[in-house]
Amino acid sequence: MPSVDVVVVGAGPSGCSVAKFASEKGLEVLVLEKKREAGVPSPCAGYVSKLVSRYFNVDKRCRQQDIENMLTVFPSGRSQVVRAEGWIVERMLFDRFLAMQAARAGARFSMHSKVVGIGRDGAGKNGADSDAGREAREVVYRKDGESIRIKARVIVGADGVLSGVARLAGIQTNGQIAVCPQYEMVGVKLDDPTTVETYFDVDYAPGSYAWVYPTGRDSAKVGLGIAKPLAGQKPGTFLNKFISRHPVARKRFVDATPISSIVGMLPINGLLEKICVGNVLLVGDAAGMADPISGAGICTGIIAGKIAAEEIYKGLENSDYEGYERRVRKLLGPRLERSLKKREIADGSYRSNETLEEVLPRTWITFKGFWRD
Ligand SMILES: Cc1cc2nc3c(=O)[nH]c(=O)nc-3n(C[C@H](O)[C@H](O)[C@H](O)COP(=O)(O)OP(=O)(O)OC[C@H]3O[C@@H](n4cnc5c(N)ncnc54)[C@H](O)[C@@H]3O)c2cc1C
Protein backbone atom coordinates (compact mmCIF):
# COMPACT_ATOMS: atom_id res chain seq x y z
CA MET A 1 0.00 0.00 0.00
CA PRO A 2 1.41 3.45 -0.88
CA SER A 3 2.14 5.74 2.06
CA VAL A 4 2.75 9.46 2.66
CA ASP A 5 3.48 11.64 5.67
CA VAL A 6 0.29 13.69 5.44
CA VAL A 7 -3.04 13.20 3.70
CA VAL A 8 -4.98 16.45 3.46
CA VAL A 9 -8.69 16.02 2.72
CA GLY A 10 -10.02 19.03 0.80
CA ALA A 11 -8.27 21.49 -1.55
CA GLY A 12 -9.92 24.68 -0.26
CA PRO A 13 -7.85 27.50 1.26
CA SER A 14 -7.27 25.62 4.54
CA GLY A 15 -6.17 22.39 2.87
CA CYS A 16 -3.90 24.22 0.41
CA SER A 17 -2.31 26.07 3.31
CA VAL A 18 -1.49 22.86 5.19
CA ALA A 19 -0.24 21.32 1.96
CA LYS A 20 1.99 24.26 1.03
CA PHE A 21 3.61 24.76 4.40
CA ALA A 22 4.02 21.04 5.16
CA SER A 23 5.59 20.49 1.74
CA GLU A 24 7.97 23.40 2.31
CA LYS A 25 9.15 21.54 5.41
CA GLY A 26 10.00 18.58 3.23
CA LEU A 27 7.01 16.40 4.18
CA GLU A 28 5.37 14.17 1.62
CA VAL A 29 1.82 15.47 1.22
CA LEU A 30 -1.13 14.14 -0.75
CA VAL A 31 -4.24 16.32 -1.11
CA LEU A 32 -7.45 14.43 -1.86
CA GLU A 33 -10.22 16.58 -3.32
CA LYS A 34 -13.62 15.22 -4.28
CA LYS A 35 -14.21 17.82 -6.99
CA ARG A 36 -12.67 17.56 -10.41
CA GLU A 37 -11.02 20.98 -10.08
CA ALA A 38 -9.89 23.02 -7.10
CA GLY A 39 -12.34 25.79 -6.25
CA VAL A 40 -15.34 24.60 -8.27
CA PRO A 41 -17.95 25.68 -7.26
CA SER A 42 -17.16 27.72 -4.19
CA PRO A 43 -20.02 29.56 -2.54
CA CYS A 44 -18.21 32.61 -1.15
CA ALA A 45 -18.26 36.39 -1.35
CA GLY A 46 -14.46 36.34 -1.50
CA TYR A 47 -13.53 39.24 0.77
CA VAL A 48 -9.99 38.70 2.08
CA SER A 49 -7.88 40.98 4.18
CA LYS A 50 -4.49 41.87 2.70
CA LEU A 51 -3.02 39.91 5.61
CA VAL A 52 -3.49 36.81 3.49
CA SER A 53 -0.57 37.85 1.30
CA ARG A 54 1.77 37.04 4.19
CA TYR A 55 0.94 33.39 3.52
CA PHE A 56 0.24 33.17 -0.21
CA ASN A 57 0.86 35.29 -3.23
CA VAL A 58 -2.60 36.63 -4.10
CA ASP A 59 -2.24 36.66 -7.87
CA LYS A 60 -3.56 39.78 -9.62
CA ARG A 61 -5.64 37.55 -11.89
CA CYS A 62 -7.88 36.41 -9.04
CA ARG A 63 -8.41 39.86 -7.50
CA GLN A 64 -11.72 41.20 -8.73
CA GLN A 65 -11.70 44.44 -6.78
CA ASP A 66 -9.48 46.37 -4.37
CA ILE A 67 -11.37 47.23 -1.21
CA GLU A 68 -10.67 50.16 1.09
CA ASN A 69 -13.78 50.62 3.25
CA MET A 70 -16.72 48.84 4.79
CA LEU A 71 -20.15 50.49 5.02
CA THR A 72 -22.60 49.30 7.68
CA VAL A 73 -26.25 50.21 7.23
CA PHE A 74 -28.48 50.04 10.31
CA PRO A 75 -32.17 49.04 10.13
CA SER A 76 -33.10 52.73 10.38
CA GLY A 77 -30.99 53.54 7.33
CA ARG A 78 -28.27 55.42 9.20
CA SER A 79 -24.80 54.23 8.31
CA GLN A 80 -21.15 54.09 9.29
CA VAL A 81 -18.01 53.69 7.15
CA VAL A 82 -14.71 52.27 8.42
CA ARG A 83 -11.39 51.46 6.81
CA ALA A 84 -11.17 47.79 5.72
CA GLU A 85 -8.33 47.13 3.33
CA GLY A 86 -8.59 43.96 1.33
CA TRP A 87 -9.60 42.38 -1.93
CA ILE A 88 -12.64 40.71 -3.34
CA VAL A 89 -11.24 37.58 -4.94
CA GLU A 90 -12.79 35.28 -7.49
CA ARG A 91 -12.89 32.15 -5.34
CA MET A 92 -12.48 29.63 -8.12
CA LEU A 93 -9.29 31.32 -9.35
CA PHE A 94 -8.12 32.16 -5.83
CA ASP A 95 -8.35 28.50 -4.73
CA ARG A 96 -6.68 27.42 -7.94
CA PHE A 97 -3.73 29.76 -7.36
CA LEU A 98 -3.41 28.47 -3.78
CA ALA A 99 -3.41 24.91 -5.09
CA MET A 100 -0.73 25.84 -7.63
CA GLN A 101 1.46 27.29 -4.89
CA ALA A 102 1.01 24.17 -2.76
CA ALA A 103 1.82 21.98 -5.76
CA ARG A 104 4.91 24.03 -6.55
CA ALA A 105 6.05 23.54 -2.96
CA GLY A 106 5.91 19.80 -3.62
CA ALA A 107 2.38 18.68 -2.61
CA ARG A 108 0.67 16.09 -4.80
CA PHE A 109 -3.03 16.45 -5.59
CA SER A 110 -5.51 13.75 -6.47
CA MET A 111 -8.70 15.33 -7.81
CA HIS A 112 -12.08 13.62 -8.08
CA SER A 113 -11.03 11.66 -4.99
CA LYS A 114 -13.67 11.45 -2.31
CA VAL A 115 -12.52 10.27 1.11
CA VAL A 116 -14.99 7.72 2.46
CA GLY A 117 -13.12 6.06 5.31
CA ILE A 118 -10.26 6.34 7.74
CA GLY A 119 -9.12 3.56 9.96
CA ARG A 120 -6.30 1.91 11.82
CA ASP A 121 -3.20 0.67 10.09
CA GLY A 122 -4.30 -2.11 7.75
CA ALA A 123 -7.91 -1.87 8.94
CA GLY A 124 -9.31 1.02 6.95
CA LYS A 125 -13.05 0.82 6.58
CA ASN A 126 -16.03 2.86 5.56
CA GLY A 127 -18.14 4.53 8.17
CA ALA A 128 -17.47 5.88 11.64
CA ASP A 129 -14.81 4.25 13.77
CA SER A 130 -14.47 5.40 17.34
CA ASP A 131 -10.80 4.37 17.43
CA ALA A 132 -10.08 6.03 14.13
CA GLY A 133 -9.19 9.33 15.71
CA ARG A 134 -6.51 7.78 17.90
CA GLU A 135 -4.92 5.35 15.53
CA ALA A 136 -5.99 6.34 12.04
CA ARG A 137 -3.34 5.64 9.51
CA GLU A 138 -5.25 4.40 6.52
CA VAL A 139 -7.37 6.58 4.28
CA VAL A 140 -9.89 5.12 1.85
CA TYR A 141 -11.06 7.19 -1.08
CA ARG A 142 -13.15 6.69 -4.19
CA LYS A 143 -11.72 7.75 -7.52
CA ASP A 144 -13.19 6.94 -10.93
CA GLY A 145 -15.37 4.21 -9.44
CA GLU A 146 -12.45 2.52 -7.66
CA SER A 147 -11.78 2.26 -3.94
CA ILE A 148 -8.18 3.21 -3.17
CA ARG A 149 -6.29 2.91 0.13
CA ILE A 150 -3.27 4.85 1.25
CA LYS A 151 -1.37 5.03 4.53
CA ALA A 152 -0.74 8.40 6.18
CA ARG A 153 1.10 9.29 9.37
CA VAL A 154 -1.22 12.26 9.79
CA ILE A 155 -4.66 12.96 8.34
CA VAL A 156 -5.90 16.54 8.05
CA GLY A 157 -9.61 17.17 7.63
CA ALA A 158 -9.85 20.41 5.65
CA ASP A 159 -13.08 19.22 4.13
CA GLY A 160 -15.37 22.10 4.99
CA VAL A 161 -18.46 22.73 7.04
CA LEU A 162 -19.95 19.23 6.97
CA SER A 163 -16.60 17.55 7.60
CA GLY A 164 -16.71 13.83 6.89
CA VAL A 165 -13.26 13.45 8.45
CA ALA A 166 -14.57 14.82 11.76
CA ARG A 167 -17.42 12.30 11.65
CA LEU A 168 -15.15 9.41 10.68
CA ALA A 169 -12.73 10.30 13.49
CA GLY A 170 -15.57 10.44 16.00
CA ILE A 171 -15.08 14.17 16.64
CA GLN A 172 -18.23 15.81 17.95
CA THR A 173 -19.43 18.62 15.66
CA ASN A 174 -21.40 21.31 17.45
CA GLY A 175 -22.96 22.54 14.33
CA GLN A 176 -25.09 25.60 14.16
CA ILE A 177 -24.94 26.50 10.50
CA ALA A 178 -25.90 29.61 8.56
CA VAL A 179 -27.33 29.19 5.09
CA CYS A 180 -26.14 31.83 2.62
CA PRO A 181 -27.70 32.45 -0.80
CA GLN A 182 -25.72 34.71 -3.10
CA TYR A 183 -25.94 36.16 -6.62
CA GLU A 184 -23.24 37.81 -8.62
CA MET A 185 -25.06 40.70 -10.32
CA VAL A 186 -24.19 42.99 -13.20
CA GLY A 187 -25.67 46.44 -13.73
CA VAL A 188 -25.41 47.30 -10.04
CA LYS A 189 -25.37 51.04 -9.30
CA LEU A 190 -22.48 51.33 -6.85
CA ASP A 191 -21.55 54.60 -5.17
CA ASP A 192 -17.98 53.40 -4.69
CA PRO A 193 -16.63 50.04 -5.90
CA THR A 194 -13.89 50.12 -3.24
CA THR A 195 -16.49 49.95 -0.44
CA VAL A 196 -18.07 46.70 0.69
CA GLU A 197 -21.57 47.21 2.05
CA THR A 198 -23.34 45.35 4.86
CA TYR A 199 -27.03 45.72 5.74
CA PHE A 200 -28.71 44.74 9.00
CA ASP A 201 -32.46 44.30 9.16
CA VAL A 202 -34.55 41.54 10.77
CA ASP A 203 -37.00 41.55 7.86
CA TYR A 204 -34.32 40.84 5.25
CA ALA A 205 -31.51 38.87 6.94
CA PRO A 206 -32.82 37.40 10.20
CA GLY A 207 -29.94 36.40 12.49
CA SER A 208 -27.27 37.79 10.18
CA TYR A 209 -26.73 40.48 7.52
CA ALA A 210 -26.90 41.12 3.80
CA TRP A 211 -23.86 42.13 1.76
CA VAL A 212 -23.07 43.91 -1.47
CA TYR A 213 -19.42 43.20 -2.29
CA PRO A 214 -18.28 44.94 -5.49
CA THR A 215 -16.50 42.83 -8.08
CA GLY A 216 -16.04 45.74 -10.49
CA ARG A 217 -17.39 49.12 -11.46
CA ASP A 218 -20.98 47.91 -11.96
CA SER A 219 -20.99 44.37 -10.58
CA ALA A 220 -21.20 42.84 -7.11
CA LYS A 221 -21.73 39.69 -5.12
CA VAL A 222 -25.02 40.18 -3.33
CA GLY A 223 -25.93 37.74 -0.62
CA LEU A 224 -27.08 37.21 2.92
CA GLY A 225 -26.85 34.78 5.78
CA ILE A 226 -29.74 33.09 7.53
CA ALA A 227 -29.12 31.45 10.87
CA LYS A 228 -31.25 28.35 10.24
CA PRO A 229 -33.42 28.15 13.35
CA LEU A 230 -34.50 31.76 13.00
CA ALA A 231 -35.86 31.36 9.51
CA GLY A 232 -39.14 29.91 8.34
CA GLN A 233 -38.75 30.74 4.64
CA LYS A 234 -36.40 29.62 1.89
CA PRO A 235 -33.08 31.55 1.89
CA GLY A 236 -33.50 32.63 -1.76
CA THR A 237 -36.81 34.29 -0.91
CA PHE A 238 -35.02 36.56 1.58
CA LEU A 239 -32.38 37.51 -0.99
CA ASN A 240 -34.95 38.34 -3.68
CA LYS A 241 -36.86 40.42 -1.17
CA PHE A 242 -33.67 42.27 -0.14
CA ILE A 243 -32.85 43.07 -3.77
CA SER A 244 -36.32 44.25 -4.72
CA ARG A 245 -37.49 45.91 -1.52
CA HIS A 246 -34.75 46.96 0.89
CA PRO A 247 -35.36 50.71 1.42
CA VAL A 248 -31.67 51.70 1.04
CA ALA A 249 -30.17 48.93 -1.10
CA ARG A 250 -32.89 48.38 -3.72
CA LYS A 251 -31.88 51.44 -5.78
CA ARG A 252 -28.62 49.64 -6.55
CA PHE A 253 -30.43 46.81 -8.34
CA VAL A 254 -33.04 48.56 -10.48
CA ASP A 255 -31.12 47.73 -13.70
CA ALA A 256 -29.16 44.75 -12.36
CA THR A 257 -29.38 41.09 -13.31
CA PRO A 258 -27.84 38.01 -11.68
CA ILE A 259 -25.24 36.11 -13.69
CA SER A 260 -24.70 33.44 -11.05
CA SER A 261 -26.69 32.02 -8.17
CA ILE A 262 -25.30 29.88 -5.36
CA VAL A 263 -26.23 28.76 -1.87
CA GLY A 264 -23.55 27.89 0.68
CA MET A 265 -23.28 27.03 4.34
CA LEU A 266 -21.13 28.31 7.16
CA PRO A 267 -20.35 27.03 10.66
CA ILE A 268 -21.31 29.76 13.15
CA ASN A 269 -20.71 28.06 16.47
CA GLY A 270 -17.00 28.68 16.79
CA LEU A 271 -14.22 26.15 17.33
CA LEU A 272 -15.20 22.53 17.88
CA GLU A 273 -14.42 21.16 21.33
CA LYS A 274 -11.62 19.04 19.85
CA ILE A 275 -9.76 19.85 16.66
CA CYS A 276 -7.00 17.27 17.10
CA VAL A 277 -7.62 13.66 18.05
CA GLY A 278 -4.55 11.45 17.83
CA ASN A 279 -3.16 11.94 14.37
CA VAL A 280 -6.33 13.45 12.90
CA LEU A 281 -6.37 17.26 12.74
CA LEU A 282 -9.22 19.50 11.61
CA VAL A 283 -8.59 22.85 9.91
CA GLY A 284 -10.79 25.68 8.61
CA ASP A 285 -14.57 25.32 8.38
CA ALA A 286 -14.20 21.63 9.30
CA ALA A 287 -12.97 22.82 12.71
CA GLY A 288 -15.50 25.67 13.02
CA MET A 289 -12.98 28.45 12.31
CA ALA A 290 -15.30 30.76 10.37
CA ASP A 291 -16.10 33.82 12.42
CA PRO A 292 -19.56 33.35 14.05
CA ILE A 293 -20.42 37.03 13.47
CA SER A 294 -18.93 37.97 10.10
CA GLY A 295 -18.80 34.48 8.57
CA ALA A 296 -15.25 35.11 7.32
CA GLY A 297 -13.24 31.90 7.30
CA ILE A 298 -10.61 32.17 4.57
CA CYS A 299 -7.88 33.89 6.58
CA THR A 300 -8.37 31.86 9.77
CA GLY A 301 -8.26 28.63 7.77
CA ILE A 302 -5.03 29.68 6.06
CA ILE A 303 -3.40 30.79 9.31
CA ALA A 304 -4.42 27.58 11.09
CA GLY A 305 -3.20 25.59 8.09
CA LYS A 306 0.30 26.96 8.56
CA ILE A 307 0.20 26.17 12.28
CA ALA A 308 -0.99 22.65 11.48
CA ALA A 309 1.95 22.15 9.10
CA GLU A 310 4.45 23.35 11.72
CA GLU A 311 2.99 21.20 14.48
CA ILE A 312 2.77 18.14 12.25
CA TYR A 313 6.44 18.58 11.40
CA LYS A 314 7.36 18.88 15.08
CA GLY A 315 5.01 16.11 16.20
CA LEU A 316 6.03 13.39 13.77
CA GLU A 317 8.94 12.27 15.93
CA ASN A 318 6.78 11.21 18.87
CA SER A 319 3.36 11.16 17.14
CA ASP A 320 2.06 14.02 19.29
CA TYR A 321 0.15 16.75 17.47
CA GLU A 322 -1.57 18.36 20.45
CA GLY A 323 0.63 21.43 19.92
CA TYR A 324 -1.69 22.25 17.04
CA GLU A 325 -4.76 22.31 19.28
CA ARG A 326 -2.96 24.42 21.91
CA ARG A 327 -1.59 27.02 19.47
CA VAL A 328 -4.84 27.42 17.54
CA ARG A 329 -6.89 27.78 20.73
CA LYS A 330 -4.47 30.41 21.98
CA LEU A 331 -4.40 32.37 18.75
CA LEU A 332 -7.93 32.05 17.36
CA GLY A 333 -9.87 30.90 20.43
CA PRO A 334 -10.43 34.28 22.16
CA ARG A 335 -11.45 36.02 18.92
CA LEU A 336 -13.89 33.27 17.96
CA GLU A 337 -15.29 33.09 21.50
CA ARG A 338 -15.88 36.83 21.52
CA SER A 339 -17.72 36.59 18.20
CA LEU A 340 -19.77 33.68 19.48
CA LYS A 341 -20.75 35.63 22.57
CA LYS A 342 -21.68 38.63 20.41
CA ARG A 343 -23.68 36.43 18.07
CA GLU A 344 -25.67 35.10 20.99
CA ILE A 345 -26.45 38.68 22.04
CA ALA A 346 -27.27 39.58 18.44
CA ASP A 347 -29.54 36.52 18.03
CA GLY A 348 -31.60 37.71 20.98
CA SER A 349 -31.91 41.14 19.39
CA TYR A 350 -33.33 39.93 16.08
CA ARG A 351 -36.80 40.15 17.64
CA SER A 352 -37.26 43.64 16.24
CA ASN A 353 -35.38 46.28 14.28
CA GLU A 354 -35.48 48.59 17.31
CA THR A 355 -33.51 46.14 19.48
CA LEU A 356 -31.17 45.30 16.60
CA GLU A 357 -30.48 49.01 16.03
CA GLU A 358 -29.61 49.35 19.70
CA VAL A 359 -27.24 46.36 20.05
CA LEU A 360 -25.47 46.61 16.67
CA PRO A 361 -22.70 48.95 17.93
CA ARG A 362 -21.78 46.22 20.43
CA THR A 363 -22.21 43.20 18.19
CA TRP A 364 -20.79 44.08 14.78
CA ILE A 365 -17.08 43.98 14.05
CA THR A 366 -16.70 47.49 12.64
CA PHE A 367 -17.67 49.18 15.93
CA LYS A 368 -15.32 49.88 18.84
CA GLY A 369 -18.01 48.51 21.20
CA PHE A 370 -17.55 45.08 19.64
CA TRP A 371 -13.95 44.93 20.80
CA ARG A 372 -14.48 46.61 24.18
CA ASP A 373 -16.31 43.89 26.12
C1 LIG B 1 -22.06 32.62 0.67
C2 LIG B 1 -20.76 32.63 1.45
C3 LIG B 1 -19.98 33.77 1.47
C4 LIG B 1 -18.77 33.80 2.16
N1 LIG B 1 -17.99 34.91 2.09
C5 LIG B 1 -16.80 34.94 2.72
C6 LIG B 1 -15.95 36.08 2.59
O1 LIG B 1 -16.27 37.07 1.95
N2 LIG B 1 -14.74 36.05 3.23
C7 LIG B 1 -14.34 34.95 3.95
O2 LIG B 1 -13.23 34.99 4.54
N3 LIG B 1 -15.12 33.87 4.07
C8 LIG B 1 -16.32 33.81 3.45
N4 LIG B 1 -17.09 32.69 3.54
C9 LIG B 1 -16.57 31.54 4.29
C10 LIG B 1 -15.52 30.79 3.46
O3 LIG B 1 -16.08 30.46 2.21
C11 LIG B 1 -15.08 29.53 4.21
O4 LIG B 1 -14.77 29.86 5.54
C12 LIG B 1 -13.84 28.92 3.51
O5 LIG B 1 -14.18 28.45 2.24
C13 LIG B 1 -13.30 27.77 4.36
O6 LIG B 1 -12.25 27.16 3.66
P1 LIG B 1 -11.94 25.60 3.89
O7 LIG B 1 -10.75 25.32 3.06
O8 LIG B 1 -11.88 25.35 5.35
O9 LIG B 1 -13.21 24.82 3.36
P2 LIG B 1 -13.83 24.79 1.88
O10 LIG B 1 -13.49 25.99 1.12
O11 LIG B 1 -15.27 24.45 2.08
O12 LIG B 1 -13.09 23.57 1.19
C14 LIG B 1 -13.36 22.23 1.56
C15 LIG B 1 -12.98 21.33 0.41
O13 LIG B 1 -13.08 19.97 0.85
C16 LIG B 1 -13.63 19.21 -0.22
N5 LIG B 1 -14.22 17.99 0.37
C17 LIG B 1 -15.30 17.91 1.19
N6 LIG B 1 -15.51 16.63 1.55
C18 LIG B 1 -14.54 15.88 0.93
C19 LIG B 1 -14.24 14.49 0.91
N7 LIG B 1 -14.97 13.58 1.59
N8 LIG B 1 -13.19 14.06 0.18
C20 LIG B 1 -12.44 14.95 -0.53
N9 LIG B 1 -12.69 16.29 -0.55
C21 LIG B 1 -13.71 16.75 0.18
C22 LIG B 1 -14.65 20.15 -0.85
O14 LIG B 1 -14.97 19.75 -2.16
C23 LIG B 1 -13.92 21.49 -0.79
O15 LIG B 1 -13.15 21.71 -1.94
C24 LIG B 1 -18.33 32.64 2.88
C25 LIG B 1 -19.12 31.50 2.88
C26 LIG B 1 -20.33 31.48 2.18
C27 LIG B 1 -21.15 30.22 2.20
Side-chain angles (χ1 to χ4, degrees), residues 53-357:
S53 54
R54 289 191 202 163
Y55 299 82
F56 280 94
N57 170 34
V58 182
D59 195 293
K60 274 205 296 288
R61 285 168 290 177
C62 68
R63 294 188 218 156
Q64 293 180 294
Q65 180 61 51
D66 281 2
I67 297 300
E68 287 167 13
N69 300 307
M70 180 179 273
L71 170 84
T72 300
V73 181
F74 285 69
S76 65
R78 77 185 163 104
S79 60
Q80 177 235 39
V81 179
V82 297
R83 200 82 190 137
E85 279 185 75
W87 297 292
I88 300 298
V89 293
E90 207 286 320
R91 261 300 293 271
M92 191 176 118
L93 288 177
F94 177 74
D95 284 22
R96 190 173 290 221
F97 281 120
L98 302 189
M100 286 168 82
Q101 288 171 63
R104 288 197 181 108
R108 308 299 307 248
F109 283 70
S110 178
M111 306 306 293
H112 201 212
S113 299
K114 181 176 178 179
V115 170
V116 292
I118 58 177
R120 273 164 277 165
D121 200 7
K125 61 180 188 181
N126 294 353
D129 176 351
S130 58
D131 287 335
R134 246 180 323 112
E135 300 178 32
R137 285 192 211 123
E138 189 176 314
V139 179
V140 187
Y141 61 99
R142 307 257 333 146
K143 186 180 172 80
D144 302 327
E146 261 187 76
S147 188
I148 303 172
R149 289 161 189 268
I150 185 164
K151 276 188 197 173
R153 295 170 78 186
V154 178
I155 298 164
V156 177
D159 50 343
V161 57
L162 302 174
S163 172
V165 172
R167 183 172 41 79
L168 292 164
I171 297 176
Q172 189 74 33
T173 51
N174 53 4
Q176 204 187 337
I177 284 171
V179 180
C180 310
Q182 180 182 271
Y183 296 144
E184 181 162 3
M185 300 187 79
V186 176
V188 182
K189 286 194 181 71
L190 298 164
D191 292 336
D192 173 11
T194 68
T195 297
V196 288
E197 301 179 355
T198 58
Y199 294 84
F200 290 81
D201 193 310
V202 299
D203 297 326
Y204 296 92
S208 182
Y209 65 97
W211 62 83
V212 179
Y213 284 7
T215 55
R217 196 175 31 82
D218 70 341
S219 57
K221 291 171 198 166
V222 184
L224 49 81
I226 309 277
K228 245 184 178 172
L230 295 171
Q233 281 172 281
K234 286 196 175 138
T237 313
F238 282 97
L239 183 55
N240 291 334
K241 185 173 144 190
F242 171 74
I243 287 165
S244 60
R245 290 205 233 149
H246 187 277
V248 179
R250 70 167 179 236
K251 65 174 190 293
R252 305 235 178 280
F253 310 117
V254 177
D255 297 320
T257 189
I259 55 153
S260 77
S261 168
I262 49 144
V263 180
M265 287 184 287
L266 268 175
I268 51 169
N269 244 27
L271 275 185
L272 301 189
E273 269 176 38
K274 279 303 284 176
I275 57 170
C276 169
V277 176
N279 53 357
V280 178
L281 279 57
L282 300 179
V283 184
D285 278 10
M289 288 175 186
D291 186 278
I293 279 280
S294 69
I298 297 173
C299 280
T300 46
I302 287 176
I303 293 167
K306 181 165 187 280
I307 296 174
E310 289 164 2
E311 294 301 322
I312 290 168
Y313 181 72
K314 273 198 229 156
L316 276 174
E317 204 177 317
N318 52 4
S319 302
D320 177 1
Y321 310 100
E322 284 292 326
Y324 169 65
E325 175 112 30
R326 283 193 295 275
R327 276 181 66 193
V328 167
R329 284 203 186 280
K330 193 164 171 207
L331 187 74
L332 301 179
R335 164 83 202 240
L336 292 172
E337 274 161 32
R338 175 194 296 269
S339 285
L340 187 57
K341 199 174 94 191
K342 299 291 176 160
R343 192 177 63 74
E344 282 157 5
I345 299 171
D347 276 356
S349 75
Y350 276 85
R351 289 186 309 276
S352 74
N353 274 331
E354 287 71 29
T355 48
L356 179 59
E357 182 98 12

